Amino acid sequence: MHVAIPLYPRFTALDAVGPYTVLAFAPGVTVTFVAGQAGPVLDDRGSLSIAATASYADLPRPDVVVVPGGPGTLEALSDQALLGWLREAHEHTRWTTSVCSGSYLLGAAGVLKGLRATSHWAVLDGLGDFGAEPVSERVVVEGKVVTAAGVSAGIDMALTLLAQVNDAETAQAVQLAIEYDPRPPFDAGSPAKAPEGTAERALTLIS
Amino acid sequence: MHVAIPLYPRFTALDAVGPYTVLAFAPGVTVTFVAGQAGPVLDDRGSLSIAATASYADLPRPDVVVVPGGPGTLEALSDQALLGWLREAHEHTRWTTSVCSGSYLLGAAGVLKGLRATSHWAVLDGLGDFGAEPVSERVVVEGKVVTAAGVSAGIDMALTLLAQVNDAETAQAVQLAIEYDPRPPFDAGSPAKAPEGTAERALTLIS
């Protein structure tokens, strides 16, 4: 099982590394970071770069694609190398997935037409522009197309995926291996639950 | 506020990138990945490398240190450049922290003597060898020394830290920015809750 995670400038690190860690811990799974060309790709904070070890041309037919989001999505919407690769890879994938605003790139590649899909809460409504039906859920499974909400939701998505790709026992073993027994010190992780004013503050952090 | 995250071969990616993403989203926080020398450092799966952009000598006095764990901890226990840097940095830090088996490195640097501390469940008891009192908690705060349980616990730790360094409103805004409203598809994230046999399977994945 070969998983490809495309990287582009100003991606959000946890969008990529959450699912990466979950999937790479599973037996029989290989994960490769890909980009227009191999080499380091800088994230949205400008302080973390992850090395892409293959170009899109090197890995045309991965079994699974996980597209991370981030502020760089906007520029990536006109990255024809990325979108062309997504479009063609999707024809052969077992699963085509995204985290956060990565769903915009699936949308731009034509993958989401007529499908329910999700994204980061701050940009969810815009998914309608790609012919998708935006839904406010943590993980949305539509056949082989799986979209996750913002950033940390990629961890939940990858565990859901792993239970399908392998089995529940494997997903649970990975969950325990990464001790994913979350205890956030606050209950502010969704706009519906966060205290008044939090969404405005959050928007200033992600823009 | 300058946060340093030391990288060493075979670290676990999410140990580093969970806290990184939380802290780097906060206003006024700079995060730098450091190592013996600047350059890419390969993780425990052998498929992700993050670039260290500074050497230990370049950043002797960070305000906060976050030490990730991973199978590479064992070899890192004899990395005198890393341990010497930790020991000296700790004298001046505002917070000295670890995720997962990163607490072994704090222990080896002499930071945990007489303190309650935690680590990944699979290696928790070994903390006693460093004069620490091992406790099975998600995040343990002992003065300025903060240790977190395995891998994903670094996200909870970083939010806890941020609430102290800045304030609860900032931590909540970051939590909402990364949409950290966890919904694991299973309840198998701790040995106490995972189905029988899961711990054995998890151990084969992390060794």
Side-chain angles (χ1 to χ4, degrees):
Chain A
M1 173 72 59
H2 207 142
V3 180
I5 303 181
L7 298 178
Y8 52 86
R10 303 207 299 134
F11 71 100
T12 296
L14 188 55
D15 287 27
V17 174
Y20 163 76
T21 299
V22 168
L23 297 170
F25 262 103
V29 176
T30 300
V31 187
T32 301
F33 290 98
V34 296
Q37 52 188 31
V41 182
L42 196 61
D43 81 338
D44 57 355
R45 304 294 119 190
S47 44
L48 177 148
S49 63
I50 294 178
T53 57
S55 69
Y56 296 131
D58 291 334
L59 192 58
R61 292 199 180 186
D63 302 299
V64 179
V65 170
V66 180
V67 184
T73 306
L74 273 184
E75 294 89 49
L77 281 172
S78 54
D79 179 343
Q80 294 307 324
L82 168 55
L83 298 181
W85 174 80
L86 274 180
R87 203 172 288 123
E88 292 188 24
H90 177 60
E91 289 178 21
H92 303 281
T93 53
R94 181 157 168 198
W95 302 92
T96 301
T97 79
S98 65
V99 180
C100 198
S101 59
S103 53
Y104 273 53
L105 298 174
L106 293 188
V111 168
L112 299 183
K113 283 198 189 98
L115 301 185
R116 298 167 71 252
T118 196
S119 192
H120 192 286
W121 57 267
V123 296
L124 178 60
D125 289 347
L127 275 183
D129 296 344
F130 304 105
E133 179 193 339
V135 292
S136 178
E137 293 175 16
R138 188 83 176 154
V139 176
V140 177
V141 182
E142 282 273 69
K144 75 173 192 177
V145 177
V146 184
T147 52
V151 192
S152 61
I155 299 172
D156 296 331
M157 180 188 77
L159 288 169
T160 301
L161 209 63
L162 205 51
Q164 301 278 334
V165 168
N166 292 48
D167 47 48
E169 287 69 27
T170 301
Q172 289 169 326
V174 169
Q175 183 181 358
L176 185 54
I178 66 166
E179 209 162 345
Y180 185 46
D181 183 28
R183 307 273 179 85
F186 304 100
D187 190 16
S190 83
K193 294 193 276 189
E196 207 181 316
T198 307
E200 289 70 18
R201 269 189 289 272
L203 287 172
T204 65
L205 300 179
I206 59 183
S207 59
Chain B
M1 174 73 55
H2 206 142
V3 179
I5 303 181
L7 298 178
Y8 51 86
R10 303 208 298 134
F11 70 100
T12 296
L14 187 56
D15 287 28
V17 174
Y20 163 77
T21 300
V22 168
L23 296 170
F25 263 103
V29 176
T30 302
V31 187
T32 302
F33 291 97
V34 296
Q37 50 188 32
V41 182
L42 196 60
D43 81 338
D44 57 355
R45 304 294 119 191
S47 43
L48 176 146
S49 64
I50 294 179
T53 57
S55 70
Y56 297 132
D58 290 336
L59 193 57
R61 292 199 180 186
D63 301 299
V64 179
V65 170
V66 180
V67 184
T73 305
L74 273 184
E75 294 90 48
L77 281 172
S78 55
D79 180 343
Q80 294 307 324
L82 168 55
L83 298 182
W85 174 79
L86 274 180
R87 203 173 287 123
E88 293 189 25
H90 176 59
E91 289 178 22
H92 304 280
T93 53
R94 181 158 168 197
W95 302 92
T96 301
T97 79
S98 65
V99 181
C100 197
S101 60
S103 52
Y104 273 54
L105 299 173
L106 293 187
V111 168
L112 299 183
K113 282 195 189 96
L115 301 184
R116 299 166 72 252
T118 198
S119 193
H120 191 286
W121 57 268
V123 296
L124 179 60
D125 290 347
L127 275 183
D129 297 346
F130 303 105
E133 180 192 337
V135 292
S136 178
E137 292 175 16
R138 188 86 175 152
V139 176
V140 177
V141 182
E142 282 273 69
K144 75 174 193 178
V145 178
V146 185
T147 52
V151 192
S152 62
I155 299 172
D156 295 331
M157 181 188 76
L159 287 168
T160 301
L161 209 63
L162 205 52
Q164 300 279 333
V165 168
N166 291 49
D167 48 46
E169 287 69 27
T170 301
Q172 290 169 325
V174 169
Q175 183 181 358
L176 185 54
I178 65 166
E179 207 161 346
Y180 185 46
D181 182 28
R183 307 273 177 86
F186 304 100
D187 190 13
S190 83
K193 295 192 276 188
E196 208 181 315
T198 306
E200 290 71 17
R201 268 189 290 272
L203 287 172
T204 66
L205 301 179
I206 60 182
S207 58

